[in-house]
């Protein structure tokens, strides 16, 4: 198969570096364009990231000497580029929205890690195992925005996949969830580079992450929603209350989850069986980045742990443990997912594979 030529906007940042690492041997995609701010533009990639390369591999040879393009410089986009991943950070959401819109307007499919377009109702916010059918909103988006070939697809916030995938699996099995109380313990890489100052986080926990609780409470409602006439209509049947904290862990977001079911309450063994058996379209299509088993349940009383479990199935699986009955709600459990892989670059790569498999990226 001839590989799709791919560009990374924000290639020098934390998520951008993860794309460079994860796509180095990808069977379908090949990076031909790296773009970032004017600070990096014009430098070779190796020069642009020399003080801040965080991956535990060397920069792949094919990428080292690529010249970093200014994300706003549309003239220098390689002629054969097929689509882009966006992992830029800019001072305002409006700037990001406009930039991403301009790429789609120029005819490029764009898969974004940013929150700027997550609430645009005709932009699908996709977790491949949950709401893959939301990509069918793309023709509505193209019509509304007057895009010919381009479109925008986004990924949700990096902490969501750990708890939403297991909750969705239970809903699919007929156990409707009414209330969730979620406390996240989020890794420092979630704040990008250089992120949280070391003196703020070493020997400490910061009980606040700007904007994160709103995302944790609201984004699931769009993901669980249905396509309506003009875009996605939110699901209204789950109430979520979240507390989000930053902890001194490099990668891997943990969520402590309390669940109350609407009416039928499954047995503990049933829940574990549902999780272990859960598979969805990415597994059926055997997409390269799909984890074989999207939800792994560990019986050990002291798991999951970020250091030991975040890399399960290429960093794409959600790992759960400590399912037990709750005195106030029905059950509680602890779940983990890799924030920069499943929650960012890896999740977006899976979305791109889905878009190729379904004919949206040609
Ligand atoms: P980061 O490490 O701060 O990287 C930011 C990137 O954006 C760099 O490539 C930077 O280029 C570029 N940039 C900064 N200002 C710019 C400007 N004015 N114009 C053009 N490019 C600019 O951030 P990150 O953690 O990779 O996050 C990137 C995006 O993904 C954010 O929206 C974040 O919320 C989202 N996200 C992050 C995670 C995570 O776990 N880190 C997870 C999910 C989603 P220079 O190097 O040239 O400055």
């Amino acid at each position: 198969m001839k590989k799709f030529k791919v560009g990374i906007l924000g290639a020098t940042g934390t998520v951008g570096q993860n794309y460079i690492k994860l796509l180095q041997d990808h069977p379908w995609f090949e990076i031909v364009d790296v773009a970032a701010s004017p600070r990096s533009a014009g430098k070779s990639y190796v020069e642009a990231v020399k003080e801040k390369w965080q991956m535990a591999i060397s920069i792949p040879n094919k990428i080292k000497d690529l010249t970093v393009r200014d994300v706003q410089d549309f003239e220098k986009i390689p002629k054969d580029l097929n689509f882009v991943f966006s992992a830029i950070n800019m001072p305002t959401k409006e700037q990001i929205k406009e930039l991403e819109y301009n790429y789609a307007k120029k005819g490029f499919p764009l898969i974004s890690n940013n929150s700027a377009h997550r609430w645009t109702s005709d932009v699908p916010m996709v977790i491949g195992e949950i709401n893959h059918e939301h990509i069918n909103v793309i023709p509505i988006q193209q019509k509304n925005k007057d895009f010919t070939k381009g479109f925008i697809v986004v990924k949700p916030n990096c902490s969501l996949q750990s708890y939403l995938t297991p909750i969705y699996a239970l809903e699919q099995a007929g156990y409707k969830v009414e209330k969730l109380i979620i406390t996240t313990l989020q890794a420092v890489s979630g704040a990008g580079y250089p992120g949280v100052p070391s003196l703020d986080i070493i020997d400490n926990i910061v009980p606040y992450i700007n904007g994160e609780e709103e995302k944790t409470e609201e984004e699931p409602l769009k993901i669980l929603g249905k396509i309506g006439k003009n875009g996605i209509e939110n699901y209204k049947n789950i109430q979520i209350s979240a507390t989000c904290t930053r902890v001194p862990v490099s990668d891997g977001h943990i969520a402590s989850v309390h669940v109350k079911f609407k009416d039928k309450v499954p047995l503990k063994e049933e829940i574990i069986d549902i999780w272990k058996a859960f598979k969805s379209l990415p597994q059926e299509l055997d997409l390269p980045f799909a984890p074989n088993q999207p939800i792994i349940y560990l019986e050990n009383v002291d798991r999951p742990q970020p250091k030991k479990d975040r890399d399960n199935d290429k960093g794409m699986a959600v790992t759960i443990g400590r399912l037990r009955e709750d005195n106030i709600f029905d059950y509680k459990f602890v779940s983990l997912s890799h924030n920069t892989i499943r929650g960012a670059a890896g999740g977006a790569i899976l979305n791109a594979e889905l878009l190729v498999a379904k004919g949206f990226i040609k």
Side-chain angles (χ1 to χ4, degrees):
M1 174 176 171
K2 210 171 153 215
K3 290 191 183 184
F4 288 88
K5 310 266 194 246
V6 175
I8 314 290
L9 314 182
T12 52
T14 305
V15 178
Q17 293 180 22
N18 272 278
Y19 280 114
I20 305 286
K21 178 178 135 192
L22 296 173
L23 289 175
Q24 62 176 335
D25 296 315
H26 195 280
W28 301 358
F29 306 146
E30 174 188 9
I31 298 173
V32 295
D33 181 45
V34 286
S37 80
R39 289 179 292 276
S40 306
K43 296 179 184 167
S44 64
Y45 186 79
V46 67
E47 179 67 15
V49 295
K50 72 170 184 252
E51 282 112 19
K52 55 183 185 184
W53 179 253
Q54 292 292 313
M55 302 295 99
I57 59 159
S58 305
I59 302 171
N61 283 333
K62 279 192 201 154
I63 306 294
K64 268 184 183 161
D65 298 325
L66 288 180
T67 303
V68 179
R69 181 175 63 81
D70 181 340
V71 286
Q72 305 281 6
D73 186 350
F74 290 91
E75 297 296 310
K76 292 207 175 105
I77 295 177
K79 295 281 171 275
D80 54 353
L81 192 73
N82 296 116
F83 72 93
V84 292
F85 289 107
S86 168
I88 39 155
N89 236 340
M90 292 174 103
T92 69
K93 281 199 197 329
E94 285 317 308
Q95 286 169 291
I96 297 176
K97 259 189 176 173
E98 192 188 340
L99 184 82
E100 293 189 340
Y101 174 88
N102 287 340
Y103 275 87
K105 187 83 191 150
K106 293 240 176 262
F108 296 105
L110 177 144
I111 298 118
S112 179
N113 294 101
N114 285 297
S115 59
H117 271 296
R118 286 187 198 151
W119 286 103
T120 310
S121 66
D122 56 14
V123 170
M125 171 158 54
V126 179
I127 295 179
E129 284 85 354
I130 301 182
N131 61 337
H132 45 81
E133 82 283 359
H134 280 195
I135 60 177
N136 294 318
V137 82
I138 289 170
I140 297 178
Q141 181 195 127
Q142 289 178 316
K143 186 161 170 274
N144 288 348
K145 308 262 189 314
D146 208 13
F147 294 153
T148 47
K149 291 191 305 190
F151 57 80
I152 302 169
V153 168
V154 297
K155 260 211 79 280
N157 190 38
C158 49
S159 66
L160 244 73
Q161 11 285 302
S162 69
Y163 60 86
L164 196 55
T165 314
I167 293 300
Y168 173 76
L170 297 173
E171 290 246 326
Q172 279 298 94
Y175 295 107
K176 296 295 170 200
V177 170
E178 187 179 14
K179 291 182 181 175
L180 291 173
I181 294 187
I182 294 163
T183 305
T184 64
L185 294 87
Q186 301 189 201
V188 287
S189 61
Y193 186 87
V196 193
S198 57
L199 284 178
D200 285 344
I201 198 69
I202 294 172
D203 188 26
N204 206 11
I205 289 176
V206 182
Y208 174 71
I209 307 174
N210 185 19
E212 205 74 359
E213 289 168 358
E214 293 81 349
K215 292 174 190 164
T216 307
E217 292 173 355
E218 290 164 18
E219 290 183 12
L221 308 181
K222 182 173 179 186
I223 294 167
L224 297 175
K226 291 266 168 289
I227 298 182
K229 238 173 122 194
N230 265 317
I232 313 291
E233 292 168 2
N234 285 1
Y235 188 65
K236 295 198 169 64
N237 297 338
I238 297 186
Q239 276 181 291
I240 305 175
S241 170
T243 303
C244 296
T245 71
R246 187 75 72 197
V247 297
V249 164
S250 59
D251 288 310
H253 289 351
I254 285 244
S256 164
V257 183
H258 290 63
V259 192
K260 177 142 186 44
F261 290 94
K262 200 157 254 143
D263 34 49
K264 281 191 299 173
V265 178
L267 296 171
K268 183 180 167 189
E269 296 68 34
E270 261 179 287
I271 296 180
I272 294 173
D273 287 346
I274 289 166
W275 284 342
K276 285 184 175 169
F278 176 72
K279 286 197 194 310
S280 184
L281 189 66
Q283 288 69 39
E284 283 160 30
L285 295 173
D286 198 18
L287 299 177
F289 259 63
N292 294 322
Q293 193 180 332
I295 302 173
I296 295 171
Y297 187 80
L298 299 178
E299 299 289 346
N300 320 40
V301 290
D302 60 352
R303 302 287 274 278
Q305 295 178 17
K307 209 157 111 176
K308 297 177 181 169
D309 301 311
R310 63 190 167 210
D311 292 323
N312 283 338
D313 211 333
K314 339 177 253 300
M316 290 296 285
V318 169
T319 306
I320 309 184
R322 306 215 57 223
L323 177 68
R324 59 228 192 267
E325 285 180 8
D326 185 53
N327 292 334
I328 298 173
F329 277 19
D330 293 315
Y331 285 99
K332 52 192 168 188
F333 62 89
V334 177
S335 61
L336 164 77
S337 75
H338 198 305
N339 56 300
T340 56
I341 301 182
R342 178 81 234 200
I349 293 169
L350 184 62
N351 284 348
E353 292 169 354
L354 188 65
L355 290 162
V356 169
K358 288 291 175 184
F360 285 94
I361 296 179
K362 298 194 179 81

